[in-house]
Amino acid sequence: MMFSVTDTIVAIATPPGRGGIGVVRLSGPAACDIVRGLITHDGALQPRHATLTRLRSHAETASFGVAGDVDRRALTIDHGVVTFFPAPHSYTGEDVVELSGHGSPVVLGAIVASAAGAGARLAEPGEFTLRAFLNGRIDLMQAEAVGDLIDAATPLQARAAFDQLDGTLTRTIADIDATLFDLIARLEASVDFPGEGYHFVEAGAVALAIDGLIDRTRALLADARRGRLIREGLQIAIVGEPNVGKSSLFNALVGSARAIVTDVPGTTRDLVTEVVDLDGLRVTLVDTAGLRDTTDPIEVEGVARSHQAVAVADLVLSVEDQSRPRSNGSDSSEEREPFRRADWLATRASKVLYVANKADLAPAWRDDRVVAVSAVTGRGLDVLHRRIAAALDVDLQRDRPSITNVRHIAIVERAQEALMRAHAAALPENGSMPEEFVLADLADARAALEEISGRRATEDLLAHIFARFCVGK
Ligand SMILES: Nc1nc2c(ncn2[C@@H]2O[C@H](COP(=O)(O)OP(=O)(O)OP(=O)(O)O)[C@@H](O)[C@H]2O)c(=O)[nH]1
Ligand SMILES: [Mg+2]
């Protein structure tokens, strides 16, 4: 059913809940016919013209309490605008009709129900975009970019997704593929006319051409880590002993009083998470329970969760209270171990940034290695932001990376490996293996690239990719 494209689908395209306007979208061969029954306007629908009309819903009159009368009656329920996008120049490539009414879940729900009563099927998640892909309006990278754009939590994420929707990666991959195709064609000609030897393409030239392709995949992959960070975001866990101000710092970074703050040590007992835009990066901040030995069963569980948060975080902010002597009592020693948990953190966390909080109070110790901040006054938070970006090693000022998606990264890596095998086989100093060997590896590289664009996507892959979309997209 997921891949049926012969029927007409319907869904609310705007987010759940109330809004100024709400849009119901239909796509498929019967879209216009079905909509006829839902509007009072009875002229032909002009392609791509907004037409003001009344929207009707077909209600079972019985449900309105008129006993015995089960006629379906059309009730005018809203004023709206209807727009018809004829195939093939629509979002899905099929006939699409959009009905905009006021953003009332009741009105929009009634319109969808009436459309379903008239023969439309309720759309599956992502099915409009899936149809756009199946009808060749967009490739798989662009379909994935639609999902990324909708999910973007920072302007940087949105721009990276839009670039892909706009086709930047599509074109880069298509360029590599075109060169590959040309090379394969010439090598095949040499195989088909063996008498001519390498006449169609000389062995050294093959190796050189493949080398150029490897360079292009390398350039794509070079920026991939940054791209992935932009797309997927990362996790930062705030850990430390009780009462040092972890939750206060969390709230200061989030910009709202999300986590409970009290002067009672052991206030936070569970992980509190919030997604924030940290200088363009999508960061999931995690506030944790203060680390201490305790017998309180709730707190014991909280501390266990703090440990888990440390294990999965991309960066840990280890927070101390600068207004109190360090708990290991070593603050007077020259050779002091900076932090009691430093060793422990070093073994569990991928990266640690040391933070001294409560810098608005008189300091009980100093240490150049820590970032001094005050969660209360906001002092030092700008420095902390910069140190976080530096610790994560992401240069956000540079151009947007063209590759951001792990699926694409894995496939480009595979294509690159196949190209390297082909290169080794083609090298004259390796005795220039027969064209067949080179060809097999080049074909592998091409097959990989076709998986990115979706030309070779399996149903499982498509189901997996579109399942994360919401209904109506
Ligand atoms: N003066 C000052 N007080 C702070 C600062 N940050 C936090 N506090 C105070 O320190 C106390 C503890 O703050 P929390 O944010 O609850 O500390 P926590 O580390 O989350 O504590 P637990 O959840 O119990 O582990 C509260 O009374 C805060 O108002 C700061 O920068 N300056
Ligand atoms: Mg707390």
Side-chain angles (χ1 to χ4, degrees):
M1 167 144 119
M2 175 86 183
F3 295 102
S4 146
V5 287
T6 51
D7 51 358
T8 298
I9 53 175
V10 63
I12 300 174
T14 37
R18 285 166 298 189
I21 58 168
V23 175
V24 171
R25 181 152 65 170
L26 291 97
S27 178
C32 278
D33 288 345
I34 291 171
V35 165
R36 284 257 75 86
L38 303 178
I39 58 177
T40 55
H41 176 87
D42 49 23
L45 290 174
Q46 289 289 313
R48 293 182 298 279
H49 272 254
T51 306
L52 187 63
T53 179
R54 282 165 177 261
L55 303 176
R56 295 190 293 194
S57 97
H58 294 268
E60 299 277 352
T61 38
S63 67
F64 285 81
V66 185
D69 180 5
V70 290
D71 277 349
R72 285 165 56 83
R73 283 202 194 147
L75 303 170
T76 302
I77 53 170
D78 199 0
H79 291 287
V81 169
V82 56
T83 319
F84 168 43
F85 302 92
H89 303 293
S90 68
Y91 182 70
T92 59
E94 310 169 331
D95 277 355
V96 168
V97 181
E98 287 181 4
L99 295 164
S100 317
H102 291 102
S104 147
V106 178
V107 169
L108 301 177
I111 292 171
V112 169
S114 304
R121 171 169 65 76
L122 300 180
E124 303 281 333
E127 200 171 0
F128 290 93
T129 309
L130 173 68
R131 286 189 173 197
F133 165 70
L134 292 175
N135 291 322
R137 295 286 291 163
I138 52 176
D139 65 18
L140 198 51
M141 288 175 270
Q142 291 170 312
E144 291 171 287
V146 170
D148 287 352
L149 186 57
I150 291 168
D151 287 343
T154 73
L156 190 64
Q157 280 186 317
R159 288 200 303 269
F162 178 74
D163 281 353
Q164 271 173 32
L165 178 58
D166 212 27
T168 43
L169 186 57
T170 300
R171 284 189 291 276
T172 309
I173 298 288
D175 276 356
I176 296 178
D177 191 51
T179 312
L180 205 47
F181 177 78
D182 178 60
L183 194 60
I184 289 174
R186 285 190 291 152
L187 275 174
E188 273 174 350
S190 305
V191 174
D192 291 344
F193 305 99
E196 332 256 330
Y198 265 122
H199 284 179
F200 288 89
V201 50
E202 185 262 320
V206 174
L208 205 63
I210 298 174
D211 205 34
L213 288 169
I214 294 173
D215 275 350
R216 279 147 82 175
T217 56
R218 198 173 287 134
L220 263 180
L221 292 172
D223 238 7
R225 194 190 79 91
R226 210 170 120 255
R228 202 182 145 186
L229 280 183
I230 290 173
R231 176 173 184 267
E232 291 175 16
L234 41 94
Q235 281 212 14
I236 299 181
I238 304 176
V239 299
E241 282 164 27
N243 227 35
V244 297
K246 298 178 298 300
S247 300
S248 304
L249 180 61
F250 174 88
N251 288 344
L253 292 171
V254 168
S256 77
R258 171 78 174 77
I260 299 173
V261 169
T262 74
D263 56 7
V264 182
T267 301
T268 306
R269 267 104 178 284
D270 205 346
L271 303 180
V272 183
T273 65
E274 195 70 40
V275 175
V276 297
D277 173 350
L278 221 65
D279 305 325
L281 268 190
R282 177 197 188 120
V283 169
T284 305
L285 271 183
V286 186
D287 181 24
T288 65
L291 299 168
R292 67 169 167 184
D293 291 333
T294 168
T295 51
D296 178 318
I298 303 175
E299 219 183 324
V300 166
E301 176 59 24
V303 171
R305 290 181 185 206
S306 302
H307 287 211
Q308 289 162 10
V310 165
V312 302
D314 299 280
L315 177 69
V316 169
L317 302 186
S318 172
V319 185
E320 290 178 286
D321 180 345
Q322 202 175 11
S323 71
R324 299 174 68 96
R326 276 178 159 167
S327 51
N328 58 356
S330 62
D331 47 295
S332 53
S333 149
E334 283 299 305
E335 294 288 304
R336 68 185 178 215
E337 170 62 27
F339 317 104
R340 201 179 69 173
R341 287 179 319 278
D343 289 343
W344 177 81
L345 275 176
T347 58
R348 315 277 159 112
S350 45
K351 277 182 180 158
V352 185
L353 203 58
Y354 295 98
V355 180
N357 188 34
K358 309 198 187 180
D360 52 300
L361 304 176
W365 49 272
R366 288 188 193 283
D367 187 330
D368 291 342
R369 290 165 290 188
V370 303
V371 187
V373 303
S374 167
V376 167
T377 66
R379 184 180 140 193
L381 289 182
D382 51 340
V383 179
L384 183 60
H385 274 220
R386 285 201 295 277
R387 293 285 294 273
I388 289 174
L392 294 166
D393 189 26
V394 277
D395 181 359
L396 299 168
Q397 308 309 318
R398 269 191 298 158
D399 278 352
R400 267 108 59 193
S402 48
I403 188 163
T404 58
N405 181 321
V406 248
R407 184 180 84 84
H408 303 161
I409 294 170
I411 294 176
V412 172
E413 280 170 350
R414 234 173 57 221
Q416 191 180 52
E417 282 159 21
L419 287 170
M420 287 188 268
R421 287 197 306 272
H423 183 253
L427 274 181
E429 49 265 48
N430 290 354
S432 296
M433 314 258 289
E435 293 94 327
E436 283 88 342
F437 287 84
V438 181
L439 271 171
D441 291 327
L442 292 181
D444 282 352
R446 250 201 118 200
L449 296 182
E450 286 181 345
E451 254 179 66
I452 295 196
S453 63
R455 246 174 300 161
R456 269 184 204 235
T458 62
E459 288 217 352
D460 280 354
L461 174 67
L462 295 180
H464 175 77
I465 287 173
F466 287 96
R468 81 181 177 92
F469 278 64
C470 351
V471 172
K473 303 299 179 300

